[in-house]
């Protein structure tokens, strides 16, 4: 596990410690019987010689022809791919449990809400910090070499995107001091979520600065290593504006966001069609398959449809169920879910009685995307903004466009009467429009990291169920706990953050969750 606290000074210390231990062990094995004054003299002699050698070890063993830094094009490709692949996997094995898209039938302490016991997944902390650190290297190179200026905007946008995931999942986190390990700060303070969102070099500021950097770029260097938009800078601007809509809505319970949302909506320069989505494709063959395609079948078969999803999709008579799940093998023609968090030690569960997850997650992963943000998600966010009177727009039109694009995204045929009859019809009798919007977004957000759970925490929709054998007093968690590595490596700062969250409690709400 790699911590955000890794620094150059630490790595050098570990390197010299490693070499010292090698010398010590080799010396011990070579001269096991040396004793007395003569022995101590020989030990001193060899120790001095060893220190003299190790002082120049780095210089002697450095290849002068090897590159001393990774090109920003390679770093950008690595950050985008690694984050997208790893967080899609996290979405499947952990995020979809918290959001109740899936149920895990065994080895399921996480599904029972013991979030200090991640098993197949459930600890995105090192994923987020590793990629934030690598992304910061891009910005360091941009600041040192004007040739790389084209990378500034995309790197700032990615920084904002990954930082939002980090703080939305954990709450207050090390941020402003946490990415400068090269300068030796290995014990960064925890910053408030409010500051991370609103301050200079925070989420919203970095999105604005990223857009400015792209729009003011006049160099000849093209953006290489871009697996999201193939170097199209205008698409990065639309991506950033969709993210602004998303994060303004995220903090809308705390901040007046109407003017900024209206301005972005009126300008119209956000993602508006699926062919402009911020996604990259998995493949059907290695090495770029979705990870569940190569996981052993026993692990894949631990994940089935949740009872929550069965009820939501059954009530909507939603054909996307055929893409996201499989028919119960014991009950052909039926899609059946199980209540989250069963206690497998006291319950006999036959997987054949329920619906496994769909072939798109295993046999047919070439049809699956790593999803950063899409047009349909943007439309649902704007529909919510309109319904809450944050912007002047037609909420129903935006909602219906979001549904149409979500069906298209998941390659499912939308029934002709889906939007006119039944519970999907906007503001139909007895229906809460906000709940309708959030439910449709929840369905489509399957395996999109932790988004379904994050948006449930913000809005309360869709209505999730108490899990079967809760290890959290029948409460649905509202944050992930800080990992134990933080207590060991950053004890003082961790202690302050732990006190602020009632002992690192998973029931302590984050700043924007003020309900």
């Amino acid at each position: 596990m790699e911590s955000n606290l890794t620094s150059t000074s630490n790595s050098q210390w570990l390197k010299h410690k490693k070499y010292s231990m090698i010398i010590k062990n080799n010396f011990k094995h070579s001269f096991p019987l040396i004793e007395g004054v003569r022995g101590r003299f020989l030990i001193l002699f060899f120790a001095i010689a060893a220190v003299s050698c190790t002082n120049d070890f780095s210089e002697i063993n450095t290849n002068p022809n090897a590159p001393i830094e990774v090109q920003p094009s390679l770093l950008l490709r690595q950050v985008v791919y690694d984050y997208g692949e790893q967080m899609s996997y996290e979405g499947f094995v952990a995020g979809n449990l918290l959001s109740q898209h899936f149920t895990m039938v065994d080895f399921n302490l996480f599904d029972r809400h013991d979030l200090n016991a991640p098993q197949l997944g459930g600890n995105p902390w090192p994923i987020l910090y590793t990629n934030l650190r690598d992304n910061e290297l891009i910005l360091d190179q941009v600041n040192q070499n004007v040739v790389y200026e084209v990378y500034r905007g995309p790197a700032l946008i990615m920084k904002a995107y990954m930082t939002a995931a980090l703080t939305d999942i954990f709450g207050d986190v090390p941020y402003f001091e946490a990415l400068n390990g090269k300068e030796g700060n290995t014990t960064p303070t925890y910053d408030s979520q409010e500051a991370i969102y609103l301050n200079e070099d925070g989420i919203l500021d970095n999105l604005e600065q990223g857009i400015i950097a792209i729009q003011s770029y006049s160099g000849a260097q093209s953006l290489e290593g871009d697996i999201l938009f193939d170097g199209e800078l205008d698409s990065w601007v639309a991506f950033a504006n969709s993210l602004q809509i998303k994060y303004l809505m995220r903090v809308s319970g705390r901040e007046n966001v109407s003017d900024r949302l209206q301005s972005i909506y009126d300008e119209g320069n956000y993602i508006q069609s699926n062919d402009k989505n911020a996604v990259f494709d998995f493949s059907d063959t290695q090495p770029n398959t979705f990870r569940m395609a190569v996981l052993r079948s026993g692990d894949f078969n631990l994940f089935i449809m949740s009872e929550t999803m069965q009820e939501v999709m059954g009530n909507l008579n939603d054909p996307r169920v055929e893409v996201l799940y499989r028919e119960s093998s014991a009950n052909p023609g039926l899609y059946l879910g199980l209540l989250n968090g069963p206690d497998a030690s006291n319950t006999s569960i036959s997987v054949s009685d329920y619906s496994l997850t769909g072939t798109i997650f295993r046999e047919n992963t070439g049809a699956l995307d790593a999803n950063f943000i899409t047009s349909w998600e943007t439309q649902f966010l704007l529909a919510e903004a309109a319904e809450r009177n944050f912007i002047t727009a037609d909420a129903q039109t935006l909602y219906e466009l979001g549904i149409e694009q979500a069906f298209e995204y998941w390659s499912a045929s939308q029934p002709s009467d889906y939007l006119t009859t039944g519970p999907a019809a906007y503001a139909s009798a007895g229906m809460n429009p906000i709940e309708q919007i959030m439910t449709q977004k929840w369905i489509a957000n399957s395996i999109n990291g932790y988004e379904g759970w994050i948006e449930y925490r913000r809005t309360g929709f869709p209505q999730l169920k108490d899990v079967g054998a809760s290890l959290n007093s029948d409460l649905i968690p509202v944050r992930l706990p800080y990992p134990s590595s933080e207590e060991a490596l950053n004890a003082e700062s961790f202690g302050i953050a732990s006190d602020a969250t009632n002992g690192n409690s998973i029931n302590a709400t984050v700043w924007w969750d003020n309900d």
Side-chain angles (χ1 to χ4, degrees):
M1 180 182 299
E2 189 165 6
S3 171
N4 62 303
L5 306 175
T6 301
S7 69
T8 300
S9 57
N10 270 359
S11 63
Q12 288 175 341
W13 179 81
L14 289 170
K15 183 189 299 180
H16 288 301
K17 183 178 180 182
K18 174 182 176 183
Y19 294 144
S20 299
M21 290 301 295
I22 291 172
I23 292 166
K24 179 179 178 182
N25 290 335
N26 285 345
F27 189 88
K28 179 179 178 182
H29 290 304
S30 300
F31 302 97
L33 302 178
I34 292 177
E35 296 178 356
V37 174
R38 183 181 178 189
R40 288 194 292 273
F41 174 79
L42 286 173
I43 290 172
L44 177 62
F45 171 80
F46 282 111
I48 293 171
V51 170
S52 298
C53 290
T54 55
N55 282 342
D56 297 325
F57 190 92
S58 178
E59 180 180 346
I60 293 171
N61 288 276
T62 298
N63 178 1
N65 298 315
I68 60 173
E69 61 183 23
V70 180
Q71 294 293 310
S73 60
L74 299 178
L75 283 169
L76 179 62
R77 179 184 291 112
Q78 168 65 18
V79 167
V80 172
Y81 182 81
D82 188 74
Y83 180 92
E85 190 278 329
Q86 294 221 56
M87 289 302 283
S88 295
Y89 172 77
E90 277 286 312
F92 188 101
V93 301
N96 268 20
L97 299 178
L98 290 172
S99 62
Q100 298 188 9
H101 288 79
F102 299 164
T103 294
M104 196 172 182
V105 298
D106 203 355
F107 307 104
N108 64 340
L109 294 179
F110 193 89
D111 194 27
R112 295 174 61 191
H113 296 161
D114 178 0
L115 304 191
N116 288 298
Q119 291 164 291
L120 290 180
N123 181 23
W125 183 276
I127 300 169
L128 292 158
Y129 275 110
T130 296
N131 283 293
L132 278 166
R133 179 205 62 200
D134 288 348
N135 189 75
E136 200 70 13
L137 295 177
I138 301 175
L139 291 169
D140 289 345
Q141 293 188 37
V142 169
N143 291 330
Q144 294 165 14
N145 191 336
V146 68
V147 172
Y148 297 142
E149 183 62 27
V150 69
Y151 291 91
R152 184 184 300 277
L156 286 170
I157 293 165
M158 285 301 301
K159 182 176 182 176
Y161 176 78
M162 294 186 291
T163 300
L166 175 68
T167 187
D168 289 344
I169 291 169
F170 293 99
D172 298 350
V173 291
Y175 174 65
F176 293 106
E177 297 177 355
L179 306 180
N180 59 352
K182 289 175 68 176
E183 283 70 49
N185 187 351
T186 59
T187 56
T189 59
Y190 281 61
D191 299 296
S192 72
Q193 184 177 77
E194 180 179 11
I196 292 170
Y197 260 100
L198 303 181
N199 285 12
E200 183 178 353
D201 192 34
I203 294 165
L204 293 171
D205 180 60
N206 279 333
L207 289 174
E208 289 186 349
Q209 296 305 315
I211 291 171
I212 291 170
I214 291 172
Q215 292 178 334
S216 62
Y217 177 68
S218 58
Q221 179 76 21
S222 61
L223 182 67
E224 298 178 355
D226 176 12
I227 62 174
L228 287 180
F229 304 114
D230 197 26
E232 294 182 5
L233 292 177
D234 288 345
S235 293
W236 279 93
V237 172
F239 176 29
N241 279 323
S242 281
L243 291 179
Q244 285 198 87
I245 293 168
K246 178 175 184 171
Y247 301 136
L248 288 169
M249 289 302 298
R250 186 104 351 129
V251 302
S252 61
R254 290 286 190 178
E255 295 291 308
N256 186 340
V257 299
S258 295
D259 289 346
R260 293 179 69 179
L261 282 171
Q262 189 71 56
S263 177
I264 297 169
Y265 175 71
D266 290 343
E267 185 179 346
N269 192 12
Y270 51 84
I271 300 174
Q272 297 208 41
S273 61
N274 279 328
D275 62 341
K276 299 295 184 180
N277 288 342
V279 300
F280 67 78
D281 299 329
F282 290 108
S283 64
D284 284 323
T285 57
Q286 294 190 43
N288 297 323
T289 56
F290 180 50
R291 200 182 311 180
M292 299 307 295
V294 295
L295 203 68
R296 68 186 188 92
S297 59
D299 290 334
F300 180 82
N301 291 344
L302 292 173
F303 297 91
I304 62 174
M305 173 189 270
S306 72
E307 185 175 287
T308 305
M309 181 61 86
Q310 177 193 339
E311 291 182 3
V312 168
M313 299 199 88
N315 188 42
L316 290 166
N317 195 23
D318 197 308
R320 286 172 291 184
V321 69
E322 300 172 11
V323 177
L324 299 173
Y325 302 94
R326 310 176 198 223
E327 296 177 4
S328 163
S329 60
N331 303 277
L334 297 180
Y335 293 88
L336 301 175
L338 178 68
L339 183 67
N340 282 84
D343 182 353
S345 65
N346 293 323
T347 306
S348 178
I349 300 172
S350 174
V351 172
S352 64
D353 290 335
Y354 302 99
S355 293
L356 290 169
T357 60
T359 60
I360 194 171
F361 302 118
R362 189 164 178 85
E363 297 90 346
N364 187 32
T365 63
L368 186 65
D369 293 331
N371 173 4
F372 290 72
I373 194 169
T374 60
S375 181
W376 51 261
E377 183 177 0
T378 306
Q379 306 302 334
F380 287 135
L381 288 161
L382 289 170
E384 181 192 353
E387 184 61 37
R388 294 188 188 277
N389 294 316
F390 294 161
I391 63 173
T392 301
D394 186 65
Q396 180 174 348
T397 299
L398 292 162
Y399 165 79
E400 292 178 351
L401 179 58
I403 290 177
E404 291 167 4
Q405 291 180 346
F407 269 87
E408 177 185 50
Y409 176 85
W410 285 106
S411 300
S413 297
Q414 180 182 320
S416 59
D417 61 350
Y418 189 85
L419 297 175
T420 57
T421 61
Y426 194 72
S428 54
M431 300 302 298
N432 177 349
I434 297 296
E435 182 174 6
Q436 289 180 299
I437 294 166
M438 300 309 302
T439 298
Q440 288 293 331
K441 184 163 61 168
W442 174 80
I443 293 170
N445 252 332
S446 185
I447 82 157
N448 184 10
Y450 289 77
E451 280 301 309
W453 171 62
I454 291 169
E455 286 289 76
Y456 162 77
R457 289 155 49 203
R458 181 176 70 86
T459 67
F461 297 118
Q463 295 180 18
L464 303 185
K465 296 178 175 292
D466 292 341
V467 302
S470 175
L471 297 173
N472 188 44
S473 303
D474 291 323
L475 298 174
I476 295 175
V478 293
R479 59 178 290 272
L480 290 193
Y482 304 124
S484 58
S485 59
E486 276 295 284
E487 185 173 11
L489 298 172
N490 192 11
E492 183 176 353
S493 296
F494 168 83
I496 296 170
S498 179
D499 289 344
T501 52
N502 301 321
N504 198 15
S505 170
I506 61 177
N507 303 313
T509 57
V510 302
W511 166 73
W512 50 249
D513 182 5
N514 65 345
D515 292 338

Short mmCIF file of all heavy atoms in Angstrom, two decimals, residues 102 170 301 318:
data_model
loop_
_atom_site.label_atom_id
_atom_site.label_comp_id
_atom_site.label_asym_id
_atom_site.label_seq_id
_atom_site.Cartn_x
_atom_site.Cartn_y
_atom_site.Cartn_z
N PHE A 102 -25.54 -3.71 -5.73
CA PHE A 102 -25.21 -5.13 -5.58
C PHE A 102 -25.32 -5.53 -4.11
O PHE A 102 -25.27 -4.68 -3.21
CB PHE A 102 -23.77 -5.42 -6.02
CG PHE A 102 -23.44 -5.12 -7.45
CD1 PHE A 102 -22.11 -5.03 -7.85
CD2 PHE A 102 -24.43 -4.93 -8.42
CE1 PHE A 102 -21.76 -4.76 -9.17
CE2 PHE A 102 -24.10 -4.66 -9.74
CZ PHE A 102 -22.76 -4.57 -10.11
N PHE A 170 -14.08 10.59 2.12
CA PHE A 170 -13.50 10.56 3.46
C PHE A 170 -13.83 11.79 4.31
O PHE A 170 -13.71 11.73 5.53
CB PHE A 170 -11.97 10.42 3.37
CG PHE A 170 -11.52 9.09 2.84
CD1 PHE A 170 -11.16 8.94 1.51
CD2 PHE A 170 -11.45 7.98 3.67
CE1 PHE A 170 -10.73 7.72 1.02
CE2 PHE A 170 -11.03 6.75 3.19
CZ PHE A 170 -10.68 6.62 1.85
N ASN A 301 -18.78 -14.47 -8.47
CA ASN A 301 -20.11 -14.95 -8.11
C ASN A 301 -20.54 -14.56 -6.70
O ASN A 301 -21.65 -14.89 -6.27
CB ASN A 301 -20.16 -16.48 -8.24
CG ASN A 301 -20.08 -16.94 -9.68
OD1 ASN A 301 -20.29 -16.14 -10.60
ND2 ASN A 301 -19.76 -18.20 -9.89
N ASP A 318 -37.98 -1.75 -16.04
CA ASP A 318 -36.86 -1.15 -16.74
C ASP A 318 -36.02 -2.22 -17.46
O ASP A 318 -35.45 -3.10 -16.82
CB ASP A 318 -35.98 -0.41 -15.74
CG ASP A 318 -35.04 0.58 -16.39
OD1 ASP A 318 -34.33 0.18 -17.32
OD2 ASP A 318 -35.03 1.76 -15.98
#
